[in-house]
Each structure stands twice: as structure tokens, then as C-alpha cells.
Amino acid sequence: MSAPEHPLSETASLARELVRRPSITPEDSGCQALIAERLAGAGFHCETINRGGVTNSWIRRGDARPLFVLAGHTDVVPTGPESKWRHPPFEGVIAGDMLHGRGAADMKGSVAAFVCACEQFVTAHPEHGGSIALLITSDEEGVARDGTLAVLDVLSERGERIDLCIVGEPSSTRDLGDVIKVGRRGSLGATVRIQGKQGHIAYPQLANNPIHSALPALRELVETEWDRGNRDFQPTSLQISNIHAGTGAHNIIPGTLEVEMNFRYSPEVTEDYLRQTTEALLARHGLDFSVDWLLSGAPFQSGDGELREAVAASVRDVTGRVPEYSTAGGTSDGRFIAPTGAQVVELGPVNATIHQIDECVSLADLDLLTQCYVGAMGRLLL
């Protein structure tokens, strides 16, 4: 392992310890216990809320409003072939000015910055206003049914309501803080099954090829303008991700066509509108079809509120950059928190290597990110 030129900061050291724990979703591998132990010393009450084999933590200090939450996850995606990594993915290698390893950027670096920011802020302001909490799950990279949702169910039963929330997803594009996510598009998946009639390929008049029947409808679907987006959101897009038909033989007309597709949609349309419009279009083309729908998350958007302003101001003070507001990218657990009425934004490290072989994060950025979180807490809780 390459030795750093200078001693590691508290954030970098903790991030490395977390990376060294192979917490492939839905495993936590002791990450949350380490976090809880650290924050208990800063006066946080640490609670474990497990469901369906998923480890979740709700770690809170104070009982006043507003309730300010830092939300993240300790689970990581699989490494892929470890032989292709320059450094072993779970050794937390420091090479030059980078921490290498699975989860370094997505998002153990942010979680480490959460912890160190809380320690620094509480030490400097033990009588701060409001409350601070961490919501940490090991089910963000997986099916996400027993993670953040499980914690929110418990909070709802107890009448605890989140007011302000920063999700630590890697939001930055080129430089730390150049982008703040102020929302995310919705994700609506569909599996369309179109029924035809199987037959010999030499006698098409005795069969009904569902591929041929479906092509005009599929073309119309992908060419449809669903909306034009808005100030923060790109227009809704539809992508077909998989098409399957046939028996494996070249001389058989298939009896069924299966099409998988996904809408990434803006708040300018609704889930019901997309469903109804899609099914009406398929019916208009005279297709014999069925659709299985799967909503992964509705779109959410944080307006021009105090949280957005506080995070942007903190980024400017710490980095000198004026962040761009964006809603691009995939889904995050913010999709579960925003519907509770909380303001939600996302701020985290550069996302250039997330989910890739040789994932890494800048050591300097980890310290800057910690200070961004501290600055946001100061603007919201003092």
C-alpha cells in the first residue's frame, strides 16, 4: 500500500475504515456499528431498525425542531472481477491523493464526512438549535424495500417528521460542489407482453407475428413527446431496454413478444398519465397485450427553500464554486424522504468512478465535503 505524504484527516481515516468492510448490498459488515460508536461519544442516541435482513440506523441528537437529517447508505454494489482492479477493492488503498476502493465515492466517503461534520459541529456548538440525525441503510443499492422505507415507517408511527435532509449521493461532476441535486426524475418501468400466433415461417398467412404487429406502436411510443420538462427537469424520456421473442429456431414465427422499457419522468406528468397513455396507444394499434408496471420512485423537487440556499452558500464559502442545480441521474433514497414533506437536496463527491472498477475519491474532497456539511448545519441550526 502506498503511504500518504501526510497523516490522514479524520474523515479520510474513517472513510478508509468503512471501505475496508466488504458491505455488498444488503450487507452492512459492521459499518453502522462503527458509526454509532463514534457518534454516541458526541451525544447522539443510536437506534437500530432492521427489517428483512437489512441493517438500518437512526442516530439522533436533540428533540427540537427543525429536524435536520443526513441520509446515506453503507451498502455497495459488487466489485466485478477483482483481478481488473489496480488496488484490491476492499483494502482502502491510499495512492497519491486518492482513496481507492468499492464505495469510496458511493457513498462511504459521504458517510464518513457526515460523522466527522457532526462531531465538529457539536463540539463547536453543543447548544445548537433543532436536532441532528443520521439515517443510514444497507439497502440503497438493492431492492430498497427494507432500508430507508423501514426507518420512515417507524418515524411515522412515532410522529417524528424530517424537516431538512441532505442525501450524500455523489452529486458532483468534475469538481466537488459543482452540482447540487435538487430533485430526481421518477422511474416507471413496464414489461409489455404482446400476443401473436406461432407458426411456420414459410406460412405467415397462418400465423400472426407479434414483432411485426408491435413495431409501429413501439416507434410511436419512442417518438412521443411526453412533456417539455421545466426549469429544473429534463423532458420525460422513454427508453426500451430489452426485446425478446422467438423459440430459438429460425423457422418459427414467435407467438409472444416481450418488451421491457422505462420512463424517467418529470413532475410535468404523472404516473397515471404515463400508464394510461401507453396502454391507450397500444390498444389503438390493435394489439393483444398486457403490461406489468413497476414504480421505482416518483419525481421529487426541492424548491427555493432554506435548505437549498444553505447548502449552496456553504459550497460557495468552502470551495469558491457556484453550484449548478440539477435533477439528472438515476434514483436515490431522496425519493422516499421527499414525500414526507421534507426539503431534500443531494451533495456528495465527484461521481466519475462510481459503480466502476477502480472506484476512488479525492482525499482533499472528503475534507472539503465535511466542511460543506458543517457550514450547512451552521446556517440551519444556529
Side-chain angles (χ1 to χ4, degrees):
M1 185 190 320
S2 300
E5 295 182 3
H6 304 287
L8 292 181
S9 68
E10 284 290 319
T11 303
S13 179
L14 178 56
R16 182 172 63 173
E17 288 303 309
L18 293 173
V19 167
R20 287 174 169 172
R21 297 168 187 248
S23 53
I24 296 173
T25 190
E27 297 299 324
D28 169 69
S29 299
C31 292
Q32 292 178 42
L34 175 61
I35 294 165
E37 182 180 359
R38 286 281 296 260
L39 288 176
F44 284 77
H45 172 70
C46 306
E47 181 180 1
T48 300
I49 301 173
N50 293 347
R51 189 170 79 182
V54 173
T55 303
N56 305 300
S57 294
W58 176 246
I59 305 171
R60 179 169 178 168
R61 186 181 197 273
D63 55 13
R65 303 284 294 275
L67 173 54
F68 172 83
V69 172
L70 297 160
H73 61 90
T74 52
D75 60 319
V76 300
V77 296
T79 64
E82 294 193 19
S83 61
K84 293 188 176 182
W85 285 68
R86 286 182 294 167
H87 308 286
F90 294 117
E91 286 192 9
V93 170
I94 306 294
D97 59 354
M98 306 293 288
L99 168 63
H100 293 258
R102 176 57 82 225
D106 187 15
M107 58 176 287
K108 291 181 175 180
S110 295
V111 171
F114 286 169
V115 174
C116 293
C118 287
E119 291 173 336
Q120 293 177 25
F121 182 74
V122 167
T123 298
H125 308 286
E127 303 301 324
H128 62 82
S131 303
I132 305 170
L134 277 71
L135 193 168
I136 308 295
T137 179
S138 69
D139 187 34
E140 197 275 344
E141 300 288 9
V143 294
R145 295 173 184 163
D146 295 309
T148 295
L149 284 173
V151 178
L152 293 175
D153 286 345
V154 172
L155 297 184
S156 176
E157 292 171 2
R158 298 197 303 225
E160 292 183 71
R161 186 169 68 84
I162 298 171
D163 298 298
L164 309 160
C165 179
I166 297 178
V167 181
E169 288 293 336
S171 62
S172 304
T173 302
R174 295 171 303 276
D175 302 294
L176 181 78
D178 60 359
V179 173
I180 294 173
K181 303 283 183 163
V182 296
R184 293 277 186 156
R185 295 174 294 175
S187 177
L188 177 63
T191 300
V192 182
R193 294 178 181 86
I194 298 168
Q195 189 65 41
K197 182 180 179 182
Q198 183 175 312
H200 195 293
I201 209 159
Y203 301 95
Q205 72 276 15
L206 302 178
N208 176 15
N209 193 324
I211 300 175
H212 296 181
S213 301
L215 286 177
L218 296 180
R219 178 168 183 168
E220 185 175 345
L221 279 172
V222 299
E223 292 180 348
T224 296
E225 181 182 78
W226 303 93
D227 62 59
R228 297 185 178 181
N230 60 31
R231 182 189 70 171
D232 289 328
F233 281 83
Q234 299 171 337
T236 293
S237 69
L238 169 65
Q239 292 294 315
I240 294 175
S241 58
N242 193 24
I243 295 179
H244 177 75
T247 64
H250 72 279
N251 60 352
I252 298 177
I253 293 172
T256 304
L257 171 69
E258 184 172 285
V259 181
E260 294 182 357
M261 57 190 189
N262 181 269
F263 288 96
R264 291 302 166 105
Y265 68 102
S266 81
E268 298 299 308
V269 293
T270 64
E271 174 196 355
D272 286 342
Y273 172 80
L274 296 175
R275 289 187 183 215
Q276 292 168 12
T277 303
T278 298
E279 293 186 11
L281 187 154
L282 296 171
R284 178 161 45 81
H285 281 266
L287 300 175
D288 180 4
F289 71 93
S290 63
V291 187
D292 292 331
W293 294 96
L294 176 63
L295 179 67
S296 297
F300 71 90
Q301 182 176 14
S302 180
D304 297 323
E306 58 184 324
L307 178 63
R308 182 192 286 207
E309 294 173 1
V311 174
S314 183
V315 168
R316 288 194 299 269
D317 284 354
V318 172
T319 70
R321 299 183 185 104
V322 178
E324 170 192 348
Y325 297 133
S326 172
T327 59
T331 59
S332 78
D333 276 6
R335 71 190 189 272
F336 304 131
I337 300 169
T340 69
Q343 295 180 46
V344 179
V345 302
E346 300 178 25
L347 174 65
V350 173
N351 57 28
T353 64
I354 62 173
H355 290 211
Q356 296 183 17
I357 288 172
D358 292 331
E359 180 179 352
C360 57
V361 69
S362 161
L363 297 174
D365 283 357
L366 292 179
D367 294 334
L368 292 174
L369 184 60
T370 302
Q371 294 311 307
C372 288
Y373 294 150
V374 171
M377 283 188 273
R379 286 172 170 81
L380 296 165
L381 299 177
L382 295 180

